[in-house]
Amino acid sequence: MAEVQRVGEIIEASTTEFTAQCYELYQMPPLGSLVKTGDSAAELYGIVYNATTTSLEPGRRPIARGRDEDSEEAIYRSSPQLAKLLRSQFGVLVVGHREGEKLYQHLPPQPARIHGFVYQCSPDEVKDFGRSLDFLNIILNAHLPVPAEELVAASLRRMSQAHDDQRAFLVAAGRELAVLLSGNLNQLNAILGRIKL
Amino acid sequence: MTERLGIVTLASLERGTDVRLDSSTSIEDMVVGRYVTIEGQKRRFFGMITDVSLGVTDPNLTLTPPDVSDPFIAEVLAGTSTFGTIHVTPMLTIGGDAETILEGPQPVKTIPGHFSAVKLASESDIELVFGKEDPQRFHIGNPLDMEVKLCLDLEELVKRSNGIFGKSGTGKTFLTRILLIGILQKSKAVNLVFDMHNEYGWKGTREDGPPVQGLKQFAGSRVAVFTLDEESSKRRQVSADFVVNIGYDEITPEDIAILRTTLNLTELAVEAAYELRKKLGRSWLRQVTELNDQELEEALKGTAIHESSLQSLKRGLSTIGRLGFVVPKAPEDAVKRILDCLDRNINVVLEFGRYREISAYLLVANMLSRRIYNRYQQRMEEAIAADNEAMKPNPLVITIEEAHKFLSTEVANKTIFGTIAREMRKYNVSLLVIDQRPSGIDEEVMSQMGTKITCLLDNEKDIDSVLAGVSGKSELKSVLARLAPKQQALIFGHAVPMPVAFQPREYGSAQSYKDFAPQKEAEEDIEKLWD
């Protein structure tokens, strides 16, 4: 298996989702990408649904510093403490788990652990995960700060990149959505419009 | 094995099953009348597509149609949000349970379970249902859009009276010719054809092309052509085996009774005929036509025949007298000659020559049939009494055209054909009726017909009367209404396990004659060529 990329560490967890902090400012995984956490005995899979960069201390709000600087990079260069005072974190919706060899696309029995490392999934893992499309139902039914159609579309777009025949994957996913959203034509149209090649 | 078409979503024994098509199945390939099999858990069902429709999961799709010019959207929606459905009427079970395995296809008594797979019927399935060509089964045509043969069990067919219906020009005569050849080749029955239009004996006409071979050209020694009109036969270069003449004394008041409407006679005039017969004896008709008014009045003294009735009757009888084949005394008994032929297993075609008026046809067909039937009845009864199978006469099929004139509600109980149709097989005589106006035929007679073959009909009454009492009538109606105006027909009833729309096999080309010829004879012919 290719070297897996560690993208963060869990700082908040529940059964349905967890939040992870990036080690470097702004180094969060893209929206909709598939990440995993846990050990080889029990791995949790999730989809990045949201990312934020905020001040470390809730009371201290960042202030504008760039009046005399030429570029954004120059601000960070002249105030090196910023990288330590700000933090990037991302929210992950749990969409499945692996027990041993078996992959399940439903919620895990236990939530993730705090300080668990979060890794970006390799293309092979993404492909493997994409064999079943049951996770779409979890996304559609989750209550998230981002619109479900945006997240579904983003995750499918990213997942399709791991597949050799992107179009076939997207058509299959579209058909699954057509069944799930048979009573909600507008939402279906919105997603299909966002995933077509 | 054929591809899966879809799955059963709803079903009822009465209304048939709804099948939702898979997205890979093109709705435009689904044609009404095609055969499908449904793979139930315990049984396999055999049925026919009777309706095709489109469905959507969300009614909004029909109000604001998606942008299907985008192939991606079109591909995603096809078969998911938008889908095709077909309506299938299961007709038979063709495998699975013990009864079906032992006795062949059985009528359906149940329905397949939810989501059973539906496939197009394979050739072997259809063969299982309609049989292969063999010494008893005769290839009559092909189910529509299919290469497989539709074979009829002719022994079964001739056990009942049958009907061929269809508008004028839809191919009834062709179909009849094929069926007659089939009966001739593959059953023990002999035919007696009352050939009103001289179509079956030596050669027949067709609308587009040269004449086609008749039965005599086809089966030579096994067919005798009888004629009522020797001159016409000569003109058409047909060598008739026997010229039929009818003697005055062979005509009975019963024969006059069925001609009442045709000859425009009053009820009283018919009554008068019975009176005359009673008074004057067998030669009543000759006396009425030959005696002058005074002599007749003399002879009829003491009877209650009214003058006007007598005149009405005389007018009618003079129409009969003018028919060339009606002679004071017939030189030879036509019935005896016909029976001789039938006994020797020779089929008889009686040509009417120029006597195409319905009165001649009604008179002759009814008269001869009645006497032949009586003889059959007598011989059957003797055979039954002696318990001797060999004494039974050959099964006889009488073919009549314009059947509604013989079998209308008014005269069906007076003509012999009404009796034959009702009493069916008891005396080894059955009917093959050919008609273009089935609604004119008595309901009771229609209901007794074993197998009905119908070409296109477009009169509502005719369709109703042909399909009366058939299960799945409304579905069959839609199939019947969609038949091509020519050379397509629907067959249902006793001789076929389920209704089927078919295209009659070709008849008229050199190759088609060869196909009809039994294999053995064809080989002999080839051998002769080398001698």
Side-chain angles (χ1 to χ4, degrees):
Chain A
M1 202 183 280
E3 181 87 8
V4 284
Q5 189 192 349
R6 205 202 294 179
V7 287
E9 192 178 315
I10 295 174
I11 53 168
E12 197 181 332
S14 72
T15 301
T16 56
E17 56 185 281
F18 57 82
T19 307
Q21 185 181 337
C22 302
Y23 292 117
E24 300 293 332
L25 199 59
Y26 302 130
Q27 292 301 307
M28 52 270 223
L31 180 70
S33 54
L34 189 68
V35 295
K36 62 174 184 179
T37 181
D39 50 32
S40 55
E43 277 180 325
L44 263 61
Y45 287 88
I47 284 184
V48 178
Y49 71 84
N50 194 19
T52 52
T53 300
T54 54
S55 168
L56 259 179
E57 288 176 48
R60 285 179 68 177
R61 296 184 62 190
I63 51 166
R65 290 168 181 270
R67 179 188 288 265
D68 303 318
E69 304 288 352
D70 292 337
S71 65
E72 286 178 30
E73 284 79 22
I75 301 175
Y76 286 94
R77 271 201 305 276
S78 57
S79 311
Q81 77 282 13
L82 282 179
K84 299 294 172 198
L85 292 176
L86 295 174
R87 64 171 173 182
S88 289
Q89 58 185 40
F90 54 91
V92 174
L93 180 70
V94 179
V95 291
H97 62 110
R98 183 194 290 278
E99 275 175 28
E101 284 300 300
K102 210 137 165 65
L103 198 96
Y104 301 97
Q105 295 199 348
H106 53 75
L107 292 180
Q110 301 292 336
R113 295 199 309 209
I114 302 294
H115 298 301
F117 295 154
V118 180
Y119 302 95
Q120 181 100 48
C121 288
S122 71
D124 280 344
E125 283 173 307
V126 174
K127 209 165 157 182
D128 198 31
F129 192 81
R131 280 184 219 287
S132 167
L133 293 161
D134 293 345
F135 70 94
L136 292 174
N137 195 34
I138 302 180
I139 306 182
L140 288 172
N141 289 315
H143 299 285
L144 300 171
V146 287
E149 52 264 44
E150 288 290 349
L151 185 59
V152 168
S155 64
L156 288 175
R157 275 198 309 267
R158 290 206 67 79
M159 219 170 255
S160 73
Q161 286 164 11
H163 285 77
D164 304 325
D165 188 348
Q166 283 195 39
R167 187 187 151 83
F169 173 77
L170 289 176
V171 168
R175 300 175 68 85
E176 179 78 25
L177 287 168
V179 175
L180 291 173
L181 296 174
S182 61
N184 194 344
L185 188 63
N186 291 337
Q187 202 177 11
L188 177 66
N189 280 338
I191 298 176
L192 294 183
R194 284 163 171 78
I195 62 172
K196 66 183 179 189
L197 291 171
Chain B
M1 267 309 199
T2 51
E3 288 278 307
R4 193 180 97 155
L5 296 179
I7 52 171
V8 172
T9 49
L10 276 178
S12 124
L13 191 55
E14 207 168 299
R15 290 184 300 278
T17 58
D18 284 337
V19 176
R20 180 170 164 156
L21 296 179
D22 289 345
S23 58
S24 54
T25 311
S26 163
I27 186 105
E28 290 169 24
D29 288 341
M30 299 296 106
V31 186
V32 168
R34 291 200 88 160
Y35 295 107
V36 294
T37 54
I38 304 175
E39 315 286 332
Q41 279 182 353
K42 295 182 182 163
R43 295 182 172 83
R44 293 183 72 214
F45 295 82
F46 189 85
M48 183 165 73
I49 300 178
T50 49
D51 196 12
V52 186
S53 56
L54 292 175
V56 290
T57 48
D58 185 346
N60 281 332
L61 269 168
T62 56
L63 302 174
T64 49
D67 176 20
V68 287
S69 61
D70 184 331
F72 175 73
I73 305 265
E75 200 175 332
V76 167
L77 295 184
T80 51
S81 301
T82 62
F83 53 88
T85 56
I86 53 176
H87 190 79
V88 173
T89 310
M91 308 258 186
L92 301 167
T93 51
I94 57 168
D97 53 345
E99 198 184 6
T100 315
I101 292 165
L102 289 175
E103 295 179 20
Q106 297 292 316
V108 280
K109 294 193 193 80
T110 180
I111 49 172
H114 258 118
F115 314 126
S116 301
V118 178
K119 295 175 176 172
L120 269 188
S122 67
E123 292 202 359
S124 59
D125 291 332
I126 297 175
E127 216 163 62
L128 190 70
V129 173
F130 297 118
K132 277 187 197 162
E133 209 172 359
D134 61 23
Q136 265 197 25
R137 289 173 186 273
F138 177 69
H139 168 207
I140 180 172
N142 308 64
L144 290 190
D145 304 316
M146 283 184 206
E147 289 299 311
V148 287
K149 289 176 176 177
L150 168 64
C151 297
L152 284 187
D153 186 337
L154 289 177
E155 286 294 348
E156 277 302 308
L157 183 87
V158 297
K159 279 187 186 162
R160 314 266 165 111
S161 289
N162 304 300
I164 296 181
F165 307 104
K167 277 205 310 182
S168 167
T170 47
K172 291 192 297 294
T173 310
F174 256 81
L175 205 52
T176 310
R177 205 179 278 127
I178 292 173
L179 209 57
L180 288 176
I181 291 174
I183 295 175
L184 194 149
Q185 283 183 345
K186 301 219 165 163
S187 74
K188 289 190 206 79
V190 280
N191 288 294
L192 169 59
V193 184
F194 290 105
D195 184 5
M196 190 180 196
H197 303 290
N198 314 318
E199 285 281 357
Y200 304 109
W202 182 248
K203 63 182 173 188
T205 52
R206 62 170 160 185
E207 282 174 18
D208 46 352
V212 295
Q213 289 187 0
L215 296 182
K216 177 93 179 175
Q217 282 194 59
F218 202 84
S221 59
R222 283 205 55 207
V223 177
V225 177
F226 282 35
T227 184
L228 281 174
D229 182 1
E230 203 176 4
E231 283 171 42
S232 154
S233 300
K234 277 185 186 149
R235 266 201 309 279
R236 288 181 288 116
Q237 296 178 334
V238 178
S239 60
D241 296 272
F242 182 74
V243 180
V244 175
N245 282 302
I246 308 275
Y248 277 162
D249 52 355
E250 294 176 45
I251 300 174
T252 62
E254 286 82 9
D255 297 325
I256 305 299
I258 64 154
L259 289 170
R260 192 181 77 80
T261 354
T262 327
L263 295 179
N264 208 9
L265 298 178
T266 60
E267 289 279 359
L268 285 173
V270 175
E271 284 301 314
Y274 285 100
E275 285 275 336
L276 285 167
R277 169 78 163 82
K278 215 157 76 184
K279 180 87 183 162
L280 304 176
R282 279 187 66 138
S283 64
W284 67 282
L285 184 59
R286 179 150 35 128
Q287 293 191 43
V288 173
T289 41
E290 286 175 0
L291 296 181
N292 63 33
D293 283 356
Q294 266 185 351
E295 288 168 326
L296 196 59
E297 206 174 308
E298 196 68 27
L300 292 179
K301 261 194 184 148
T303 58
I305 298 173
H306 197 269
E307 178 63 21
S308 65
S309 308
L310 186 62
Q311 289 308 325
S312 164
L313 180 63
K314 280 187 84 171
R315 267 198 307 279
L317 294 180
S318 65
T319 312
I320 295 176
R322 277 199 297 276
L323 297 169
F325 56 84
V326 179
V327 293
K329 179 116 189 79
E332 206 175 341
D333 187 0
V335 172
K336 193 173 167 304
R337 286 296 294 262
I338 293 175
L339 280 168
D340 279 351
C341 284
L342 299 178
D343 282 344
R344 282 184 288 137
N345 210 7
I346 295 175
N347 299 271
V348 177
V349 178
L350 177 58
E351 294 192 334
F352 278 68
R354 66 174 183 276
Y355 304 112
R356 292 186 179 191
E357 60 264 58
I358 192 70
S359 51
Y361 193 71
L362 275 174
L363 176 72
V364 174
N366 189 53
M367 214 188 78
L368 294 180
S369 301
R370 190 183 60 235
R371 292 172 56 196
I372 290 167
Y373 178 77
N374 287 342
R375 293 287 293 278
Y376 257 73
Q377 182 173 4
Q378 199 183 337
R379 286 165 59 183
M380 277 301 277
E381 281 165 357
E382 283 166 10
I384 292 166
D387 199 13
N388 183 352
E389 199 64 27
M391 276 170 72
K392 286 185 180 171
N394 289 327
L396 172 65
V397 178
I398 301 179
T399 303
I400 48 169
E401 296 178 276
E402 301 286 345
H404 66 275
K405 304 261 187 195
F406 297 95
L407 298 170
S408 67
T409 315
E410 193 193 345
V411 297
N413 50 2
K414 292 185 190 144
T415 66
I416 186 63
F417 298 108
T419 318
I420 297 177
R422 275 189 294 266
E423 296 193 356
M424 294 198 315
R425 191 63 188 156
K426 234 180 270 171
Y427 301 110
N428 258 9
V429 183
S430 61
L431 289 181
L432 176 62
V433 304
I434 304 164
D435 200 42
Q436 51 201 20
R437 199 88 179 90
S439 60
I441 296 178
D442 186 39
E443 262 178 51
E444 193 191 341
V445 173
M446 275 305 258
S447 69
Q448 294 306 314
M449 280 185 193
T451 308
K452 294 175 196 164
I453 305 180
T454 169
C455 302
L456 182 71
L457 284 171
D458 50 18
N459 183 294
E460 195 71 19
K461 268 191 188 163
D462 288 335
I463 295 176
D464 282 340
S465 91
V466 167
L467 294 179
V470 185
S471 74
K473 184 178 168 185
S474 61
E475 282 91 356
L476 286 182
K477 227 172 167 176
S478 77
V479 175
L480 183 57
R482 282 170 185 76
L483 289 180
K486 263 189 165 184
Q487 293 183 351
Q488 285 190 358
L490 178 74
I491 180 170
F492 53 94
H494 184 66
V496 281
M498 61 180 277
V500 47
F502 71 101
Q503 183 157 28
R505 66 192 284 190
E506 199 205 348
Y507 184 83
S509 67
Q511 180 60 41
S512 68
Y513 296 139
K514 239 184 247 167
D515 292 345
F516 272 101
Q519 207 58 42
K520 208 173 71 191
E521 283 179 26
E523 278 164 17
E524 278 171 14
D525 284 350
I526 293 167
E527 272 170 29
K528 271 183 209 157
L529 282 175
W530 295 103
D531 289 341

